[in-house]
Amino acid sequence: MKAGRTLQEISTQILAENRAKRDFVADTSALNMAVVESEDGKSRDVALRFTVKDQEQTFKPTPLCLDQIAARVGIPAKYADRMRTEAPELLCRNVNHWFGAKPEKRMLRTLSNGHSVARAFLSERYRALDNFDMFAAVAPKLQAAGCEIHSVEITEKRFYIQASTPRIQAIIDQTVKIGTHNRIQRTVQAGVIIGNSEVGCGSIFVDPIMYDLVCTNGLILQRTLKRHHVGRRNEGEIFGDENTAELFSDETRKLDDKAFWAKVSDVVAASLDEIKFNDNIERLRKLQNVELAKDATNVPKVIEAVADKFDLVEQEKATLLLHFAQGGDFSQYGLINAVTRTAEDVESYDRAVELERMGGQIIELPPSEFATN
């Protein structure tokens, strides 16, 4: 499991962003992308400008927000990024043309915390389910279950919490082939991973995990809850004119959100299920008997099969090969451990979670997908 930041650091960020968030709904015909100078006057950038209640709003788009704008108006993302750096006027002309030529209402999520940034450019039907509310809903359930939070992080795309409880755990005796046959005792705990995106990069999810205390690997199992951020049309409650509005939560939306977060907290508790955990422990024990390679000479072929199936990049493939070979367990269980161990070495936290999920997918696959025997 990849280490994130401390819980205190993440809590501070969540509180600050909750105070600084501002959401708007605007017709793109009322938006204008313009070139702006940096504070030191040494560089130029682009910003979105619009008016709400006779007050001009100016927000610089994050790289993610610009990619979303580019995708919506049909500009390749790499070209948009290049124009932002090398020809910002050209980028503005392109975006403004398509904003006017094909007007539509969009939701603009922003932060005003000393630096006014546009962080997402989304559908007007996007349902804002925010990190502050998610953490407030799930933290009491995790505490009640005796969970220890092992990893938390907020990336450009998502907020993640990964935790496990010593109240539900088991020991797996692992056979390894290094020199002579040996056995390693692994203590595995039941846990949960919870993820959310405030910026349109996927659904909120709650998944059970198995947390290995020996190597701190996290194995993500079959999904328990997945909910897309789609709701009724966001009209806004404070109107500047018919084309722009700042969005505030009305009472109906607050009630809907309260019910939703109650469901999420219940799913978190249900994910820490001892019977399901023991069933999954037995599945892992059985996978120890599924040999994928007789010896180290066949290990590269197994890794090639994994890389082809899951589109691993060269560095990931090399790291996985190293961990599978050094681990000395050439069974399907050993491959799962090698994949989840590789997750700790990748730079991106988002990618690390994808690799942890990949480990769970390998549980479900027939050994013929990888075996060299």
mmCIF file of all heavy atoms in Angstrom, residues 113-160:
data_model
loop_
_atom_site.group_PDB
_atom_site.id
_atom_site.type_symbol
_atom_site.label_atom_id
_atom_site.label_comp_id
_atom_site.label_asym_id
_atom_site.label_seq_id
_atom_site.Cartn_x
_atom_site.Cartn_y
_atom_site.Cartn_z
ATOM 1 N N ASN A 113 -8.777 30.465 -2.445
ATOM 2 C CA ASN A 113 -8.012 30.343 -1.201
ATOM 3 C C ASN A 113 -6.683 31.083 -1.300
ATOM 4 O O ASN A 113 -5.629 30.558 -0.955
ATOM 5 C CB ASN A 113 -7.764 28.874 -0.861
ATOM 6 C CG ASN A 113 -7.138 28.104 -2.006
ATOM 7 O OD1 ASN A 113 -6.865 28.673 -3.062
ATOM 8 N ND2 ASN A 113 -6.878 26.826 -1.806
ATOM 9 N N GLY A 114 -6.752 32.298 -1.763
ATOM 10 C CA GLY A 114 -5.533 33.060 -1.998
ATOM 11 C C GLY A 114 -5.146 33.052 -3.456
ATOM 12 O O GLY A 114 -4.627 34.027 -3.995
ATOM 13 N N HIS A 115 -5.413 31.926 -4.112
ATOM 14 C CA HIS A 115 -5.237 31.790 -5.558
ATOM 15 C C HIS A 115 -6.572 31.304 -6.113
ATOM 16 O O HIS A 115 -7.043 30.233 -5.742
ATOM 17 C CB HIS A 115 -4.124 30.797 -5.893
ATOM 18 C CG HIS A 115 -2.783 31.219 -5.367
ATOM 19 N ND1 HIS A 115 -2.010 32.169 -5.980
ATOM 20 C CD2 HIS A 115 -2.089 30.808 -4.278
ATOM 21 C CE1 HIS A 115 -0.889 32.331 -5.294
ATOM 22 N NE2 HIS A 115 -0.915 31.523 -4.254
ATOM 23 N N SER A 116 -7.172 32.070 -6.985
ATOM 24 C CA SER A 116 -8.468 31.709 -7.545
ATOM 25 C C SER A 116 -8.268 30.758 -8.715
ATOM 26 O O SER A 116 -7.745 31.148 -9.759
ATOM 27 C CB SER A 116 -9.219 32.967 -7.997
ATOM 28 O OG SER A 116 -9.495 33.792 -6.891
ATOM 29 N N VAL A 117 -8.660 29.502 -8.516
ATOM 30 C CA VAL A 117 -8.437 28.490 -9.547
ATOM 31 C C VAL A 117 -9.748 27.827 -9.928
ATOM 32 O O VAL A 117 -10.627 27.604 -9.088
ATOM 33 C CB VAL A 117 -7.425 27.415 -9.087
ATOM 34 C CG1 VAL A 117 -6.073 28.039 -8.824
ATOM 35 C CG2 VAL A 117 -7.926 26.666 -7.857
ATOM 36 N N ALA A 118 -9.867 27.516 -11.216
ATOM 37 C CA ALA A 118 -10.965 26.686 -11.712
ATOM 38 C C ALA A 118 -10.449 25.259 -11.727
ATOM 39 O O ALA A 118 -9.486 24.951 -12.414
ATOM 40 C CB ALA A 118 -11.376 27.133 -13.105
ATOM 41 N N ARG A 119 -11.075 24.397 -10.943
ATOM 42 C CA ARG A 119 -10.542 23.036 -10.802
ATOM 43 C C ARG A 119 -11.291 22.001 -11.617
ATOM 44 O O ARG A 119 -10.803 20.885 -11.798
ATOM 45 C CB ARG A 119 -10.527 22.630 -9.335
ATOM 46 C CG ARG A 119 -11.889 22.731 -8.628
ATOM 47 C CD ARG A 119 -11.761 22.354 -7.174
ATOM 48 N NE ARG A 119 -13.029 22.462 -6.469
ATOM 49 C CZ ARG A 119 -13.386 21.663 -5.477
ATOM 50 N NH1 ARG A 119 -12.582 20.699 -5.085
ATOM 51 N NH2 ARG A 119 -14.544 21.833 -4.878
ATOM 52 N N ALA A 120 -12.495 22.324 -12.107
ATOM 53 C CA ALA A 120 -13.241 21.350 -12.909
ATOM 54 C C ALA A 120 -14.279 22.046 -13.773
ATOM 55 O O ALA A 120 -14.880 23.045 -13.367
ATOM 56 C CB ALA A 120 -13.925 20.322 -12.014
ATOM 57 N N PHE A 121 -14.501 21.502 -14.963
ATOM 58 C CA PHE A 121 -15.453 22.012 -15.951
ATOM 59 C C PHE A 121 -16.368 20.847 -16.298
ATOM 60 O O PHE A 121 -15.990 19.935 -17.039
ATOM 61 C CB PHE A 121 -14.673 22.500 -17.177
ATOM 62 C CG PHE A 121 -15.504 23.152 -18.248
ATOM 63 C CD1 PHE A 121 -15.996 24.433 -18.089
ATOM 64 C CD2 PHE A 121 -15.762 22.481 -19.438
ATOM 65 C CE1 PHE A 121 -16.735 25.041 -19.098
ATOM 66 C CE2 PHE A 121 -16.499 23.068 -20.454
ATOM 67 C CZ PHE A 121 -16.988 24.359 -20.280
ATOM 68 N N LEU A 122 -17.594 20.847 -15.733
ATOM 69 C CA LEU A 122 -18.406 19.644 -15.690
ATOM 70 C C LEU A 122 -19.816 19.877 -16.215
ATOM 71 O O LEU A 122 -20.232 20.999 -16.482
ATOM 72 C CB LEU A 122 -18.488 19.141 -14.238
ATOM 73 C CG LEU A 122 -17.144 18.894 -13.549
ATOM 74 C CD1 LEU A 122 -17.338 18.741 -12.048
ATOM 75 C CD2 LEU A 122 -16.455 17.670 -14.132
ATOM 76 N N SER A 123 -20.561 18.780 -16.326
ATOM 77 C CA SER A 123 -21.957 18.841 -16.724
ATOM 78 C C SER A 123 -22.763 19.623 -15.702
ATOM 79 O O SER A 123 -22.486 19.579 -14.491
ATOM 80 C CB SER A 123 -22.516 17.418 -16.850
ATOM 81 O OG SER A 123 -23.927 17.430 -16.873
ATOM 82 N N GLU A 124 -23.803 20.309 -16.154
ATOM 83 C CA GLU A 124 -24.686 21.020 -15.225
ATOM 84 C C GLU A 124 -25.464 20.041 -14.341
ATOM 85 O O GLU A 124 -26.037 20.441 -13.330
ATOM 86 C CB GLU A 124 -25.665 21.907 -15.985
ATOM 87 C CG GLU A 124 -26.630 21.150 -16.879
ATOM 88 C CD GLU A 124 -27.726 22.057 -17.438
ATOM 89 O OE1 GLU A 124 -28.128 22.989 -16.729
ATOM 90 O OE2 GLU A 124 -28.155 21.813 -18.578
ATOM 91 N N ARG A 125 -25.455 18.769 -14.688
ATOM 92 C CA ARG A 125 -26.123 17.754 -13.881
ATOM 93 C C ARG A 125 -25.177 17.083 -12.891
ATOM 94 O O ARG A 125 -25.563 16.144 -12.192
ATOM 95 C CB ARG A 125 -26.755 16.694 -14.789
ATOM 96 C CG ARG A 125 -27.908 17.226 -15.636
ATOM 97 C CD ARG A 125 -28.453 16.145 -16.565
ATOM 98 N NE ARG A 125 -28.987 15.027 -15.800
ATOM 99 C CZ ARG A 125 -30.219 14.958 -15.307
ATOM 100 N NH1 ARG A 125 -31.052 15.982 -15.474
ATOM 101 N NH2 ARG A 125 -30.624 13.919 -14.644
ATOM 102 N N TYR A 126 -23.930 17.551 -12.839
ATOM 103 C CA TYR A 126 -22.963 16.953 -11.929
ATOM 104 C C TYR A 126 -23.401 17.149 -10.481
ATOM 105 O O TYR A 126 -23.715 18.267 -10.056
ATOM 106 C CB TYR A 126 -21.586 17.586 -12.129
ATOM 107 C CG TYR A 126 -20.487 16.942 -11.313
ATOM 108 C CD1 TYR A 126 -19.876 15.781 -11.736
ATOM 109 C CD2 TYR A 126 -20.071 17.513 -10.111
ATOM 110 C CE1 TYR A 126 -18.876 15.184 -10.995
ATOM 111 C CE2 TYR A 126 -19.073 16.930 -9.357
ATOM 112 C CZ TYR A 126 -18.476 15.770 -9.802
ATOM 113 O OH TYR A 126 -17.479 15.180 -9.058
ATOM 114 N N ARG A 127 -23.408 16.062 -9.730
ATOM 115 C CA ARG A 127 -23.794 16.119 -8.322
ATOM 116 C C ARG A 127 -22.530 16.230 -7.473
ATOM 117 O O ARG A 127 -21.709 15.317 -7.443
ATOM 118 C CB ARG A 127 -24.592 14.882 -7.923
ATOM 119 C CG ARG A 127 -25.077 14.916 -6.470
ATOM 120 C CD ARG A 127 -25.871 13.676 -6.140
ATOM 121 N NE ARG A 127 -26.367 13.720 -4.767
ATOM 122 C CZ ARG A 127 -27.023 12.721 -4.186
ATOM 123 N NH1 ARG A 127 -27.275 11.609 -4.865
ATOM 124 N NH2 ARG A 127 -27.429 12.819 -2.937
ATOM 125 N N ALA A 128 -22.383 17.332 -6.791
ATOM 126 C CA ALA A 128 -21.190 17.568 -5.978
ATOM 127 C C ALA A 128 -21.282 16.771 -4.681
ATOM 128 O O ALA A 128 -22.088 17.086 -3.804
ATOM 129 C CB ALA A 128 -21.045 19.061 -5.684
ATOM 130 N N LEU A 129 -20.486 15.724 -4.578
ATOM 131 C CA LEU A 129 -20.366 14.938 -3.356
ATOM 132 C C LEU A 129 -18.943 15.156 -2.860
ATOM 133 O O LEU A 129 -17.991 14.603 -3.410
ATOM 134 C CB LEU A 129 -20.645 13.458 -3.645
ATOM 135 C CG LEU A 129 -22.054 13.151 -4.154
ATOM 136 C CD1 LEU A 129 -22.146 11.725 -4.683
ATOM 137 C CD2 LEU A 129 -23.080 13.381 -3.044
ATOM 138 N N ASP A 130 -18.786 15.957 -1.842
ATOM 139 C CA ASP A 130 -17.475 16.500 -1.521
ATOM 140 C C ASP A 130 -16.725 15.708 -0.453
ATOM 141 O O ASP A 130 -17.305 14.981 0.350
ATOM 142 C CB ASP A 130 -17.610 17.957 -1.091
ATOM 143 C CG ASP A 130 -17.961 18.865 -2.268
ATOM 144 O OD1 ASP A 130 -17.663 18.491 -3.409
ATOM 145 O OD2 ASP A 130 -18.553 19.936 -2.036
ATOM 146 N N ASN A 131 -15.402 15.905 -0.456
ATOM 147 C CA ASN A 131 -14.512 15.167 0.432
ATOM 148 C C ASN A 131 -14.820 15.430 1.908
ATOM 149 O O ASN A 131 -14.748 14.518 2.741
ATOM 150 C CB ASN A 131 -13.061 15.539 0.149
ATOM 151 C CG ASN A 131 -12.630 15.158 -1.253
ATOM 152 O OD1 ASN A 131 -13.211 14.260 -1.866
ATOM 153 N ND2 ASN A 131 -11.616 15.825 -1.768
ATOM 154 N N PHE A 132 -15.150 16.667 2.239
ATOM 155 C CA PHE A 132 -15.466 17.019 3.620
ATOM 156 C C PHE A 132 -16.636 16.172 4.126
ATOM 157 O O PHE A 132 -16.589 15.613 5.226
ATOM 158 C CB PHE A 132 -15.806 18.510 3.706
ATOM 159 C CG PHE A 132 -16.199 18.974 5.084
ATOM 160 C CD1 PHE A 132 -15.244 19.396 5.987
ATOM 161 C CD2 PHE A 132 -17.540 18.986 5.470
ATOM 162 C CE1 PHE A 132 -15.607 19.823 7.268
ATOM 163 C CE2 PHE A 132 -17.905 19.406 6.733
ATOM 164 C CZ PHE A 132 -16.943 19.822 7.646
ATOM 165 N N ASP A 133 -17.694 16.078 3.326
ATOM 166 C CA ASP A 133 -18.879 15.317 3.723
ATOM 167 C C ASP A 133 -18.582 13.821 3.778
ATOM 168 O O ASP A 133 -19.096 13.117 4.660
ATOM 169 C CB ASP A 133 -20.024 15.594 2.754
ATOM 170 C CG ASP A 133 -20.418 17.064 2.742
ATOM 171 O OD1 ASP A 133 -20.580 17.635 3.827
ATOM 172 O OD2 ASP A 133 -20.527 17.639 1.648
ATOM 173 N N MET A 134 -17.777 13.337 2.838
ATOM 174 C CA MET A 134 -17.436 11.918 2.847
ATOM 175 C C MET A 134 -16.653 11.559 4.104
ATOM 176 O O MET A 134 -16.956 10.566 4.783
ATOM 177 C CB MET A 134 -16.620 11.540 1.608
ATOM 178 C CG MET A 134 -16.351 10.040 1.514
ATOM 179 S SD MET A 134 -15.287 9.574 0.139
ATOM 180 C CE MET A 134 -13.676 9.740 0.901
ATOM 181 N N PHE A 135 -15.661 12.365 4.433
ATOM 182 C CA PHE A 135 -14.843 12.066 5.609
ATOM 183 C C PHE A 135 -15.683 12.129 6.884
ATOM 184 O O PHE A 135 -15.548 11.281 7.778
ATOM 185 C CB PHE A 135 -13.678 13.049 5.699
ATOM 186 C CG PHE A 135 -12.682 12.683 6.760
ATOM 187 C CD1 PHE A 135 -11.829 11.611 6.586
ATOM 188 C CD2 PHE A 135 -12.614 13.409 7.938
ATOM 189 C CE1 PHE A 135 -10.916 11.257 7.572
ATOM 190 C CE2 PHE A 135 -11.702 13.070 8.927
ATOM 191 C CZ PHE A 135 -10.851 11.993 8.745
ATOM 192 N N ALA A 136 -16.583 13.112 6.958
ATOM 193 C CA ALA A 136 -17.451 13.230 8.130
ATOM 194 C C ALA A 136 -18.371 12.026 8.269
ATOM 195 O O ALA A 136 -18.710 11.612 9.384
ATOM 196 C CB ALA A 136 -18.277 14.509 8.030
ATOM 197 N N ALA A 137 -18.763 11.429 7.141
ATOM 198 C CA ALA A 137 -19.675 10.284 7.172
ATOM 199 C C ALA A 137 -18.966 8.994 7.546
ATOM 200 O O ALA A 137 -19.499 8.184 8.311
ATOM 201 C CB ALA A 137 -20.359 10.127 5.811
ATOM 202 N N VAL A 138 -17.764 8.778 7.017
ATOM 203 C CA VAL A 138 -17.119 7.465 7.183
ATOM 204 C C VAL A 138 -16.208 7.389 8.405
ATOM 205 O O VAL A 138 -15.989 6.296 8.938
ATOM 206 C CB VAL A 138 -16.326 7.068 5.923
ATOM 207 C CG1 VAL A 138 -17.230 7.078 4.705
ATOM 208 C CG2 VAL A 138 -15.104 7.951 5.702
ATOM 209 N N ALA A 139 -15.673 8.507 8.871
ATOM 210 C CA ALA A 139 -14.730 8.470 9.992
ATOM 211 C C ALA A 139 -15.322 7.799 11.237
ATOM 212 O O ALA A 139 -14.662 6.960 11.871
ATOM 213 C CB ALA A 139 -14.222 9.867 10.306
ATOM 214 N N PRO A 140 -16.573 8.126 11.637
ATOM 215 C CA PRO A 140 -17.134 7.455 12.823
ATOM 216 C C PRO A 140 -17.280 5.946 12.636
ATOM 217 O O PRO A 140 -17.088 5.180 13.592
ATOM 218 C CB PRO A 140 -18.508 8.127 12.979
ATOM 219 C CG PRO A 140 -18.369 9.448 12.301
ATOM 220 C CD PRO A 140 -17.474 9.188 11.135
ATOM 221 N N LYS A 141 -17.624 5.506 11.422
ATOM 222 C CA LYS A 141 -17.765 4.065 11.169
ATOM 223 C C LYS A 141 -16.413 3.370 11.273
ATOM 224 O O LYS A 141 -16.311 2.263 11.813
ATOM 225 C CB LYS A 141 -18.368 3.839 9.785
ATOM 226 C CG LYS A 141 -19.833 4.213 9.676
ATOM 227 C CD LYS A 141 -20.721 3.273 10.490
ATOM 228 C CE LYS A 141 -22.195 3.607 10.288
ATOM 229 N NZ LYS A 141 -23.079 2.701 11.060
ATOM 230 N N LEU A 142 -15.379 3.991 10.745
ATOM 231 C CA LEU A 142 -14.044 3.407 10.833
ATOM 232 C C LEU A 142 -13.591 3.316 12.288
ATOM 233 O O LEU A 142 -13.021 2.305 12.714
ATOM 234 C CB LEU A 142 -13.051 4.234 10.017
ATOM 235 C CG LEU A 142 -13.270 4.257 8.503
ATOM 236 C CD1 LEU A 142 -12.278 5.210 7.835
ATOM 237 C CD2 LEU A 142 -13.129 2.863 7.901
ATOM 238 N N GLN A 143 -13.860 4.358 13.043
ATOM 239 C CA GLN A 143 -13.482 4.361 14.458
ATOM 240 C C GLN A 143 -14.251 3.287 15.226
ATOM 241 O O GLN A 143 -13.675 2.566 16.060
ATOM 242 C CB GLN A 143 -13.743 5.739 15.062
ATOM 243 C CG GLN A 143 -13.278 5.878 16.510
ATOM 244 C CD GLN A 143 -13.491 7.276 17.053
ATOM 245 O OE1 GLN A 143 -14.339 8.019 16.564
ATOM 246 N NE2 GLN A 143 -12.734 7.658 18.069
ATOM 247 N N ALA A 144 -15.549 3.160 14.957
ATOM 248 C CA ALA A 144 -16.369 2.168 15.651
ATOM 249 C C ALA A 144 -15.920 0.746 15.350
ATOM 250 O O ALA A 144 -16.053 -0.150 16.189
ATOM 251 C CB ALA A 144 -17.836 2.345 15.259
ATOM 252 N N ALA A 145 -15.378 0.535 14.143
ATOM 253 C CA ALA A 145 -14.910 -0.800 13.755
ATOM 254 C C ALA A 145 -13.494 -1.073 14.239
ATOM 255 O O ALA A 145 -12.947 -2.142 13.968
ATOM 256 C CB ALA A 145 -14.968 -0.937 12.239
ATOM 257 N N GLY A 146 -12.907 -0.123 14.965
ATOM 258 C CA GLY A 146 -11.549 -0.313 15.464
ATOM 259 C C GLY A 146 -10.497 -0.233 14.379
ATOM 260 O O GLY A 146 -9.423 -0.833 14.500
ATOM 261 N N CYS A 147 -10.785 0.521 13.305
ATOM 262 C CA CYS A 147 -9.873 0.579 12.175
ATOM 263 C C CYS A 147 -8.689 1.506 12.443
ATOM 264 O O CYS A 147 -8.807 2.527 13.119
ATOM 265 C CB CYS A 147 -10.601 1.080 10.924
ATOM 266 S SG CYS A 147 -11.648 -0.161 10.135
ATOM 267 N N GLU A 148 -7.564 1.114 11.877
ATOM 268 C CA GLU A 148 -6.399 1.986 11.802
ATOM 269 C C GLU A 148 -6.294 2.482 10.369
ATOM 270 O O GLU A 148 -6.332 1.690 9.428
ATOM 271 C CB GLU A 148 -5.132 1.228 12.174
ATOM 272 C CG GLU A 148 -3.877 2.077 12.060
ATOM 273 C CD GLU A 148 -2.607 1.309 12.358
ATOM 274 O OE1 GLU A 148 -2.705 0.139 12.791
ATOM 275 O OE2 GLU A 148 -1.510 1.868 12.134
ATOM 276 N N ILE A 149 -6.189 3.793 10.196
ATOM 277 C CA ILE A 149 -6.038 4.364 8.861
ATOM 278 C C ILE A 149 -4.569 4.280 8.464
ATOM 279 O O ILE A 149 -3.710 4.859 9.123
ATOM 280 C CB ILE A 149 -6.547 5.816 8.817
ATOM 281 C CG1 ILE A 149 -8.056 5.849 9.077
ATOM 282 C CG2 ILE A 149 -6.240 6.461 7.465
ATOM 283 C CD1 ILE A 149 -8.652 7.240 9.122
ATOM 284 N N HIS A 150 -4.297 3.545 7.397
ATOM 285 C CA HIS A 150 -2.916 3.305 6.968
ATOM 286 C C HIS A 150 -2.438 4.300 5.922
ATOM 287 O O HIS A 150 -1.245 4.600 5.851
ATOM 288 C CB HIS A 150 -2.776 1.886 6.406
ATOM 289 C CG HIS A 150 -3.111 0.816 7.378
ATOM 290 N ND1 HIS A 150 -2.340 0.536 8.487
ATOM 291 C CD2 HIS A 150 -4.156 -0.055 7.436
ATOM 292 C CE1 HIS A 150 -2.872 -0.454 9.176
ATOM 293 N NE2 HIS A 150 -3.979 -0.828 8.554
ATOM 294 N N SER A 151 -3.358 4.773 5.093
ATOM 295 C CA SER A 151 -2.934 5.643 4.000
ATOM 296 C C SER A 151 -4.079 6.560 3.597
ATOM 297 O O SER A 151 -5.202 6.098 3.375
ATOM 298 C CB SER A 151 -2.484 4.800 2.798
ATOM 299 O OG SER A 151 -1.987 5.615 1.766
ATOM 300 N N VAL A 152 -3.796 7.854 3.507
ATOM 301 C CA VAL A 152 -4.767 8.828 2.996
ATOM 302 C C VAL A 152 -4.044 9.757 2.036
ATOM 303 O O VAL A 152 -2.871 10.081 2.229
ATOM 304 C CB VAL A 152 -5.419 9.663 4.128
ATOM 305 C CG1 VAL A 152 -6.412 8.853 4.903
ATOM 306 C CG2 VAL A 152 -4.369 10.256 5.054
ATOM 307 N N GLU A 153 -4.752 10.161 0.993
ATOM 308 C CA GLU A 153 -4.140 11.069 0.033
ATOM 309 C C GLU A 153 -5.225 11.785 -0.759
ATOM 310 O O GLU A 153 -6.312 11.236 -0.994
ATOM 311 C CB GLU A 153 -3.221 10.311 -0.920
ATOM 312 C CG GLU A 153 -2.398 11.180 -1.867
ATOM 313 C CD GLU A 153 -1.529 12.190 -1.129
ATOM 314 O OE1 GLU A 153 -2.070 13.272 -0.793
ATOM 315 O OE2 GLU A 153 -0.353 11.891 -0.880
ATOM 316 N N ILE A 154 -4.916 13.017 -1.138
ATOM 317 C CA ILE A 154 -5.729 13.758 -2.087
ATOM 318 C C ILE A 154 -4.832 14.056 -3.284
ATOM 319 O O ILE A 154 -3.833 14.769 -3.154
ATOM 320 C CB ILE A 154 -6.271 15.071 -1.495
ATOM 321 C CG1 ILE A 154 -7.186 14.783 -0.302
ATOM 322 C CG2 ILE A 154 -7.047 15.846 -2.560
ATOM 323 C CD1 ILE A 154 -7.702 16.032 0.386
ATOM 324 N N THR A 155 -5.170 13.480 -4.420
ATOM 325 C CA THR A 155 -4.435 13.738 -5.650
ATOM 326 C C THR A 155 -5.182 14.808 -6.446
ATOM 327 O O THR A 155 -6.203 15.331 -5.999
ATOM 328 C CB THR A 155 -4.299 12.461 -6.484
ATOM 329 O OG1 THR A 155 -5.600 12.097 -7.011
ATOM 330 C CG2 THR A 155 -3.776 11.299 -5.649
ATOM 331 N N GLU A 156 -4.691 15.125 -7.615
ATOM 332 C CA GLU A 156 -5.395 16.075 -8.480
ATOM 333 C C GLU A 156 -6.792 15.563 -8.827
ATOM 334 O O GLU A 156 -7.710 16.339 -9.065
ATOM 335 C CB GLU A 156 -4.600 16.317 -9.761
ATOM 336 C CG GLU A 156 -5.220 17.367 -10.665
ATOM 337 C CD GLU A 156 -4.483 17.541 -11.989
ATOM 338 O OE1 GLU A 156 -3.909 16.548 -12.487
ATOM 339 O OE2 GLU A 156 -4.500 18.653 -12.518
ATOM 340 N N LYS A 157 -6.963 14.230 -8.801
ATOM 341 C CA LYS A 157 -8.210 13.632 -9.248
ATOM 342 C C LYS A 157 -9.102 13.115 -8.126
ATOM 343 O O LYS A 157 -10.324 13.180 -8.222
ATOM 344 C CB LYS A 157 -7.921 12.481 -10.219
ATOM 345 C CG LYS A 157 -7.238 12.913 -11.500
ATOM 346 C CD LYS A 157 -6.977 11.710 -12.397
ATOM 347 C CE LYS A 157 -6.338 12.141 -13.716
ATOM 348 N NZ LYS A 157 -6.076 10.981 -14.605
ATOM 349 N N ARG A 158 -8.510 12.567 -7.052
ATOM 350 C CA ARG A 158 -9.307 11.825 -6.085
ATOM 351 C C ARG A 158 -8.833 12.013 -4.645
ATOM 352 O O ARG A 158 -7.690 12.391 -4.396
ATOM 353 C CB ARG A 158 -9.263 10.321 -6.398
ATOM 354 C CG ARG A 158 -10.159 9.886 -7.540
ATOM 355 C CD ARG A 158 -10.171 8.362 -7.613
ATOM 356 N NE ARG A 158 -11.103 7.871 -8.589
ATOM 357 C CZ ARG A 158 -12.408 7.699 -8.377
ATOM 358 N NH1 ARG A 158 -12.909 8.007 -7.201
ATOM 359 N NH2 ARG A 158 -13.198 7.234 -9.317
ATOM 360 N N PHE A 159 -9.739 11.658 -3.728
ATOM 361 C CA PHE A 159 -9.456 11.541 -2.303
ATOM 362 C C PHE A 159 -9.567 10.063 -1.945
ATOM 363 O O PHE A 159 -10.545 9.399 -2.302
ATOM 364 C CB PHE A 159 -10.467 12.375 -1.507
ATOM 365 C CG PHE A 159 -10.420 12.196 -0.014
ATOM 366 C CD1 PHE A 159 -9.216 12.042 0.662
ATOM 367 C CD2 PHE A 159 -11.585 12.221 0.741
ATOM 368 C CE1 PHE A 159 -9.173 11.892 2.037
ATOM 369 C CE2 PHE A 159 -11.559 12.089 2.117
ATOM 370 C CZ PHE A 159 -10.345 11.922 2.763
ATOM 371 N N TYR A 160 -8.565 9.545 -1.238
ATOM 372 C CA TYR A 160 -8.539 8.134 -0.865
ATOM 373 C C TYR A 160 -8.342 7.971 0.638
ATOM 374 O O TYR A 160 -7.563 8.707 1.254
ATOM 375 C CB TYR A 160 -7.375 7.402 -1.543
ATOM 376 C CG TYR A 160 -7.367 7.401 -3.044
ATOM 377 C CD1 TYR A 160 -6.657 8.371 -3.751
ATOM 378 C CD2 TYR A 160 -8.024 6.410 -3.781
ATOM 379 C CE1 TYR A 160 -6.615 8.359 -5.135
ATOM 380 C CE2 TYR A 160 -7.980 6.389 -5.164
ATOM 381 C CZ TYR A 160 -7.281 7.376 -5.833
ATOM 382 O OH TYR A 160 -7.241 7.356 -7.205
#
